[in-house]
Amino acid sequence: MEIKTVLITGASSGFGEACARWYAARGFSLILAARRRERLEKLAEELDVPVYIMQLDVRDREAVEKALDGIPAEFACVDILVNNAGLALGLAPAPEADMDDWEVMVDTNIKGLLYMTRKILPGMTARRRGHIVNMGSVAGSWPYPGGNAYGATKAFVEQFSRNLRCDVQGTGVRVTNIAPGMADTEFSLVRFKGKAEKAAATYEGVKALSAEDIAEITGWVTLQPAHVNINHLEVMPTQQAWSAFAVARE
Ligand code: NDP
Ligand code: 8X3
């Protein structure tokens, strides 16, 4: 199976940018989507493959549909969709969490991913090939204090990925949920709303995953033979693991 075009959301930073570099190094054509156009343009200049830039807020359903309808013919057959755009906002316990933060996470991590998937999937099933990689998180399977809405959006991503597989079974289309643990990108800077010191403290004393680690895994998953579907891949830094049950004693 010859795969040619990869559409990556959230390509202006972190995993998405590293995935763009990974696929470009292997000759794939790229469609790069994010809100920060100038970052995408700078990245595209560095890549030696055809790149189509889509400045896009994945929360805007109409904009997503229009942008995807407007993809030039030479990029239109998307072989791999990396649904990576996403974010966590805040780490406050639920009774104190900001409702606006919750809405942004739901709109981006869930609804944005749905808008992208629903538009791209019919072409894949018609061509009887394609791969959708959804960027989940360990937070989708494992609870932690303050993970409330963020973890729940990633649980959605995990279960949606499994349900998608059921719906495309027999079409040759593959679906994978990748669930990374702690990775040193702009994720914490966004979560802590630009507070650089707080963000940096997250990774202190830990050899966290890098964006390149996740790009390598994403690329590997999609370059498996056509009959191999990796359903769910969870990966953590070696220094990270789960915690014991918490007990609130009287
Ligand atoms: P970054 O903050 O470095 O990158 C996030 C990307 O998402 C940016 O390119 C950003 O682009 C894009 N994005 C955010 N909101 C929107 C939007 N509304 N529309 C379009 N693009 C958007 O973080 P990561 O690379 O770490 O995160 C990538 C994915 O990986 C996320 O889904 C995150 O939840 C997940 N993840 C991250 C982990 C980590 O520890 N880093 C671990 C597990 C999962 P722009 O701002 O230009 O729009
Ligand atoms: C990002 C990893 O542990 O901060 O999804 O939720 S975590």
Side-chain angles (χ1 to χ4, degrees):
M1 183 173 74
E2 200 186 337
I3 295 174
K4 287 206 170 112
T5 302
V6 189
L7 194 171
I8 303 167
T9 66
S12 62
S13 171
F15 299 167
E17 179 183 339
C19 284
R21 293 184 192 281
W22 195 94
Y23 284 110
R26 287 152 186 85
F28 289 77
S29 295
L30 298 175
I31 304 171
L32 304 181
R35 291 166 299 179
R36 289 171 290 179
R37 170 178 281 279
E38 62 293 351
R39 285 222 189 178
L40 296 178
E41 282 171 349
K42 190 166 173 290
L43 175 60
E45 272 170 28
E46 294 173 35
L47 304 177
D48 206 13
V49 292
V51 178
Y52 178 67
I53 288 173
M54 283 196 315
Q55 182 178 20
L56 189 60
D57 186 333
V58 296
R59 293 172 293 173
D60 184 339
R61 177 174 165 183
E62 217 176 296
V64 169
E65 290 173 355
K66 206 169 150 200
L68 295 183
D69 283 339
I71 294 176
E74 61 268 36
F75 291 91
C77 294
V78 174
D79 298 292
I80 301 171
L81 167 63
V82 183
N83 269 324
N84 163 76
L87 77 175
L89 286 174
L91 197 57
E96 292 149 32
D98 185 328
M99 193 63 220
D100 291 339
D101 286 350
W102 282 8
E103 273 192 347
V104 173
M105 290 189 277
V106 168
D107 288 349
T108 311
N109 302 355
I110 296 181
K111 290 166 79 177
L113 184 140
L114 290 177
Y115 301 152
M116 294 296 303
T117 303
R118 181 61 185 83
K119 272 301 271 186
I120 294 293
L121 201 49
M124 288 184 169
T125 53
R127 292 188 292 277
R128 300 190 69 77
R129 68 178 215 183
H131 199 147
I132 295 188
V133 178
N134 293 327
M135 203 54 74
S137 167
V138 291
S141 304
W142 314 108
Y144 61 83
N148 42 65
Y150 175 68
T153 65
K154 293 303 187 179
F156 175 94
V157 173
E158 184 176 331
Q159 191 64 4
F160 181 61
S161 303
R162 292 188 197 279
N163 283 338
L164 267 184
R165 280 224 65 217
C166 297
D167 288 356
V168 300
Q169 196 192 6
T171 67
V173 174
R174 298 185 284 175
V175 184
T176 301
N177 179 59
I178 298 182
M182 181 187 279
D184 192 352
T185 62
E186 293 179 18
F187 176 83
S188 291
L189 195 63
V190 172
R191 172 171 245 173
F192 298 122
K193 303 179 180 175
K195 292 185 183 120
E197 265 182 39
K198 206 168 171 189
T202 309
Y203 310 108
E204 250 167 41
V206 182
K207 174 88 178 141
L209 298 171
S210 67
E212 290 70 29
D213 292 329
I214 299 305
E216 187 71 36
I217 287 166
T218 304
W220 176 79
V221 157
T222 57
L223 293 196
Q224 292 304 302
H227 68 285
V228 177
N229 192 111
I230 294 170
N231 301 330
H232 175 84
L233 193 156
E234 181 177 289
V235 52
M236 284 181 184
T238 308
Q239 282 174 268
Q240 186 179 26
W242 312 271
S243 204
F245 288 117
V247 180
R249 299 187 192 277
E250 297 285 307

mmCIF file of all heavy atoms in Angstrom, residues 154-177:
data_model
loop_
_atom_site.group_PDB
_atom_site.id
_atom_site.type_symbol
_atom_site.label_atom_id
_atom_site.label_comp_id
_atom_site.label_asym_id
_atom_site.label_seq_id
_atom_site.Cartn_x
_atom_site.Cartn_y
_atom_site.Cartn_z
ATOM 1 N N LYS A 154 -10.239 12.843 26.907
ATOM 2 C CA LYS A 154 -9.341 11.834 26.325
ATOM 3 C C LYS A 154 -9.930 10.423 26.449
ATOM 4 O O LYS A 154 -9.612 9.540 25.644
ATOM 5 C CB LYS A 154 -7.957 11.935 26.964
ATOM 6 C CG LYS A 154 -7.231 13.246 26.615
ATOM 7 C CD LYS A 154 -7.068 13.445 25.111
ATOM 8 C CE LYS A 154 -6.202 14.648 24.769
ATOM 9 N NZ LYS A 154 -6.017 14.828 23.322
ATOM 10 N N ALA A 155 -10.794 10.217 27.464
ATOM 11 C CA ALA A 155 -11.534 8.952 27.542
ATOM 12 C C ALA A 155 -12.491 8.866 26.357
ATOM 13 O O ALA A 155 -12.693 7.798 25.763
ATOM 14 C CB ALA A 155 -12.300 8.874 28.860
ATOM 15 N N PHE A 156 -13.064 9.998 25.997
ATOM 16 C CA PHE A 156 -13.919 10.043 24.800
ATOM 17 C C PHE A 156 -13.101 9.629 23.570
ATOM 18 O O PHE A 156 -13.547 8.816 22.761
ATOM 19 C CB PHE A 156 -14.492 11.455 24.595
ATOM 20 C CG PHE A 156 -15.273 11.590 23.320
ATOM 21 C CD1 PHE A 156 -16.643 11.406 23.305
ATOM 22 C CD2 PHE A 156 -14.626 11.851 22.112
ATOM 23 C CE1 PHE A 156 -17.357 11.489 22.108
ATOM 24 C CE2 PHE A 156 -15.326 11.930 20.915
ATOM 25 C CZ PHE A 156 -16.697 11.751 20.911
ATOM 26 N N VAL A 157 -11.918 10.199 23.460
ATOM 27 C CA VAL A 157 -11.069 9.910 22.285
ATOM 28 C C VAL A 157 -10.766 8.410 22.208
ATOM 29 O O VAL A 157 -10.822 7.796 21.133
ATOM 30 C CB VAL A 157 -9.762 10.741 22.328
ATOM 31 C CG1 VAL A 157 -8.804 10.331 21.217
ATOM 32 C CG2 VAL A 157 -10.073 12.237 22.230
ATOM 33 N N GLU A 158 -10.487 7.824 23.366
ATOM 34 C CA GLU A 158 -10.153 6.391 23.395
ATOM 35 C C GLU A 158 -11.354 5.549 22.943
ATOM 36 O O GLU A 158 -11.224 4.674 22.079
ATOM 37 C CB GLU A 158 -9.718 5.997 24.814
ATOM 38 C CG GLU A 158 -9.267 4.565 24.910
ATOM 39 C CD GLU A 158 -8.733 4.205 26.294
ATOM 40 O OE1 GLU A 158 -8.207 5.085 26.999
ATOM 41 O OE2 GLU A 158 -8.857 3.020 26.662
ATOM 42 N N GLN A 159 -12.514 5.823 23.511
ATOM 43 C CA GLN A 159 -13.687 5.003 23.181
ATOM 44 C C GLN A 159 -14.190 5.287 21.773
ATOM 45 O O GLN A 159 -14.631 4.382 21.067
ATOM 46 C CB GLN A 159 -14.810 5.232 24.221
ATOM 47 C CG GLN A 159 -15.949 4.240 24.123
ATOM 48 C CD GLN A 159 -15.535 2.795 24.417
ATOM 49 O OE1 GLN A 159 -14.392 2.508 24.777
ATOM 50 N NE2 GLN A 159 -16.461 1.870 24.239
ATOM 51 N N PHE A 160 -14.103 6.548 21.353
ATOM 52 C CA PHE A 160 -14.496 6.880 19.979
ATOM 53 C C PHE A 160 -13.603 6.131 18.985
ATOM 54 O O PHE A 160 -14.080 5.637 17.955
ATOM 55 C CB PHE A 160 -14.405 8.401 19.771
ATOM 56 C CG PHE A 160 -14.821 8.855 18.394
ATOM 57 C CD1 PHE A 160 -16.112 8.633 17.922
ATOM 58 C CD2 PHE A 160 -13.916 9.511 17.556
ATOM 59 C CE1 PHE A 160 -16.492 9.052 16.644
ATOM 60 C CE2 PHE A 160 -14.291 9.934 16.280
ATOM 61 C CZ PHE A 160 -15.580 9.701 15.825
ATOM 62 N N SER A 161 -12.329 6.035 19.319
ATOM 63 C CA SER A 161 -11.397 5.319 18.428
ATOM 64 C C SER A 161 -11.821 3.858 18.289
ATOM 65 O O SER A 161 -11.826 3.294 17.181
ATOM 66 C CB SER A 161 -9.969 5.389 18.977
ATOM 67 O OG SER A 161 -9.567 6.727 19.144
ATOM 68 N N ARG A 162 -12.161 3.239 19.400
ATOM 69 C CA ARG A 162 -12.590 1.828 19.349
ATOM 70 C C ARG A 162 -13.887 1.698 18.556
ATOM 71 O O ARG A 162 -14.051 0.789 17.731
ATOM 72 C CB ARG A 162 -12.795 1.277 20.761
ATOM 73 C CG ARG A 162 -11.499 1.143 21.559
ATOM 74 C CD ARG A 162 -11.761 0.409 22.872
ATOM 75 N NE ARG A 162 -10.687 0.607 23.828
ATOM 76 C CZ ARG A 162 -9.537 -0.057 23.837
ATOM 77 N NH1 ARG A 162 -9.313 -0.983 22.938
ATOM 78 N NH2 ARG A 162 -8.619 0.191 24.753
ATOM 79 N N ASN A 163 -14.839 2.600 18.813
ATOM 80 C CA ASN A 163 -16.115 2.528 18.096
ATOM 81 C C ASN A 163 -15.934 2.795 16.605
ATOM 82 O O ASN A 163 -16.618 2.179 15.774
ATOM 83 C CB ASN A 163 -17.121 3.519 18.704
ATOM 84 C CG ASN A 163 -17.698 2.987 20.013
ATOM 85 O OD1 ASN A 163 -17.687 1.788 20.268
ATOM 86 N ND2 ASN A 163 -18.183 3.876 20.848
ATOM 87 N N LEU A 164 -15.020 3.695 16.273
ATOM 88 C CA LEU A 164 -14.720 3.946 14.858
ATOM 89 C C LEU A 164 -14.264 2.674 14.171
ATOM 90 O O LEU A 164 -14.654 2.368 13.053
ATOM 91 C CB LEU A 164 -13.584 4.971 14.738
ATOM 92 C CG LEU A 164 -13.899 6.441 14.585
ATOM 93 C CD1 LEU A 164 -12.595 7.211 14.388
ATOM 94 C CD2 LEU A 164 -14.838 6.703 13.420
ATOM 95 N N ARG A 165 -13.396 1.938 14.880
ATOM 96 C CA ARG A 165 -12.886 0.689 14.309
ATOM 97 C C ARG A 165 -14.032 -0.246 13.942
ATOM 98 O O ARG A 165 -14.016 -0.899 12.908
ATOM 99 C CB ARG A 165 -11.953 -0.019 15.304
ATOM 100 C CG ARG A 165 -10.553 0.558 15.328
ATOM 101 C CD ARG A 165 -9.516 -0.553 15.334
ATOM 102 N NE ARG A 165 -9.548 -1.330 14.120
ATOM 103 C CZ ARG A 165 -9.355 -2.633 14.053
ATOM 104 N NH1 ARG A 165 -9.107 -3.345 15.123
ATOM 105 N NH2 ARG A 165 -9.389 -3.262 12.891
ATOM 106 N N CYS A 166 -15.033 -0.302 14.824
ATOM 107 C CA CYS A 166 -16.188 -1.173 14.538
ATOM 108 C C CYS A 166 -16.879 -0.731 13.251
ATOM 109 O O CYS A 166 -17.288 -1.551 12.432
ATOM 110 C CB CYS A 166 -17.198 -1.114 15.681
ATOM 111 S SG CYS A 166 -16.555 -1.731 17.225
ATOM 112 N N ASP A 167 -17.012 0.586 13.091
ATOM 113 C CA ASP A 167 -17.761 1.108 11.944
ATOM 114 C C ASP A 167 -17.008 0.973 10.630
ATOM 115 O O ASP A 167 -17.630 0.954 9.568
ATOM 116 C CB ASP A 167 -18.123 2.584 12.171
ATOM 117 C CG ASP A 167 -19.213 2.752 13.222
ATOM 118 O OD1 ASP A 167 -19.733 1.718 13.711
ATOM 119 O OD2 ASP A 167 -19.548 3.894 13.559
ATOM 120 N N VAL A 168 -15.684 0.933 10.678
ATOM 121 C CA VAL A 168 -14.932 0.861 9.411
ATOM 122 C C VAL A 168 -14.394 -0.546 9.146
ATOM 123 O O VAL A 168 -13.700 -0.765 8.152
ATOM 124 C CB VAL A 168 -13.763 1.885 9.356
ATOM 125 C CG1 VAL A 168 -14.295 3.304 9.480
ATOM 126 C CG2 VAL A 168 -12.703 1.596 10.419
ATOM 127 N N GLN A 169 -14.749 -1.465 10.014
ATOM 128 C CA GLN A 169 -14.252 -2.830 9.835
ATOM 129 C C GLN A 169 -14.648 -3.346 8.450
ATOM 130 O O GLN A 169 -15.781 -3.145 8.013
ATOM 131 C CB GLN A 169 -14.830 -3.752 10.910
ATOM 132 C CG GLN A 169 -14.058 -5.046 10.997
ATOM 133 C CD GLN A 169 -14.779 -6.095 11.831
ATOM 134 O OE1 GLN A 169 -15.909 -5.870 12.254
ATOM 135 N NE2 GLN A 169 -14.141 -7.208 12.032
ATOM 136 N N GLY A 170 -13.720 -3.923 7.742
ATOM 137 C CA GLY A 170 -14.008 -4.450 6.401
ATOM 138 C C GLY A 170 -13.711 -3.451 5.297
ATOM 139 O O GLY A 170 -13.794 -3.787 4.119
ATOM 140 N N THR A 171 -13.370 -2.224 5.665
ATOM 141 C CA THR A 171 -13.081 -1.215 4.624
ATOM 142 C C THR A 171 -11.584 -1.060 4.392
ATOM 143 O O THR A 171 -11.181 -0.356 3.471
ATOM 144 C CB THR A 171 -13.614 0.177 5.027
ATOM 145 O OG1 THR A 171 -12.852 0.651 6.158
ATOM 146 C CG2 THR A 171 -15.088 0.144 5.375
ATOM 147 N N GLY A 172 -10.780 -1.650 5.235
ATOM 148 C CA GLY A 172 -9.324 -1.473 5.119
ATOM 149 C C GLY A 172 -8.811 -0.249 5.858
ATOM 150 O O GLY A 172 -7.600 -0.022 5.921
ATOM 151 N N VAL A 173 -9.725 0.555 6.390
ATOM 152 C CA VAL A 173 -9.297 1.764 7.114
ATOM 153 C C VAL A 173 -8.899 1.375 8.537
ATOM 154 O O VAL A 173 -9.569 0.572 9.194
ATOM 155 C CB VAL A 173 -10.437 2.812 7.135
ATOM 156 C CG1 VAL A 173 -10.069 4.012 8.003
ATOM 157 C CG2 VAL A 173 -10.751 3.264 5.714
ATOM 158 N N ARG A 174 -7.796 1.965 8.989
ATOM 159 C CA ARG A 174 -7.280 1.638 10.326
ATOM 160 C C ARG A 174 -7.480 2.811 11.288
ATOM 161 O O ARG A 174 -7.520 3.971 10.863
ATOM 162 C CB ARG A 174 -5.794 1.275 10.227
ATOM 163 C CG ARG A 174 -5.561 0.050 9.358
ATOM 164 C CD ARG A 174 -4.121 -0.380 9.359
ATOM 165 N NE ARG A 174 -3.287 0.482 8.545
ATOM 166 C CZ ARG A 174 -1.972 0.361 8.465
ATOM 167 N NH1 ARG A 174 -1.347 -0.570 9.171
ATOM 168 N NH2 ARG A 174 -1.255 1.164 7.693
ATOM 169 N N VAL A 175 -7.601 2.485 12.552
ATOM 170 C CA VAL A 175 -7.786 3.520 13.583
ATOM 171 C C VAL A 175 -6.916 3.166 14.787
ATOM 172 O O VAL A 175 -6.909 2.013 15.237
ATOM 173 C CB VAL A 175 -9.261 3.605 14.056
ATOM 174 C CG1 VAL A 175 -9.427 4.750 15.056
ATOM 175 C CG2 VAL A 175 -10.217 3.780 12.886
ATOM 176 N N THR A 176 -6.210 4.162 15.273
ATOM 177 C CA THR A 176 -5.336 3.952 16.431
ATOM 178 C C THR A 176 -5.507 5.081 17.434
ATOM 179 O O THR A 176 -5.563 6.256 17.044
ATOM 180 C CB THR A 176 -3.850 3.935 15.981
ATOM 181 O OG1 THR A 176 -3.662 2.895 15.019
ATOM 182 C CG2 THR A 176 -2.922 3.695 17.178
ATOM 183 N N ASN A 177 -5.567 4.730 18.697
ATOM 184 C CA ASN A 177 -5.525 5.720 19.770
ATOM 185 C C ASN A 177 -4.143 5.637 20.426
ATOM 186 O O ASN A 177 -3.761 4.592 20.953
ATOM 187 C CB ASN A 177 -6.614 5.409 20.815
ATOM 188 C CG ASN A 177 -6.598 6.402 21.963
ATOM 189 O OD1 ASN A 177 -6.761 7.594 21.766
ATOM 190 N ND2 ASN A 177 -6.403 5.907 23.181
#
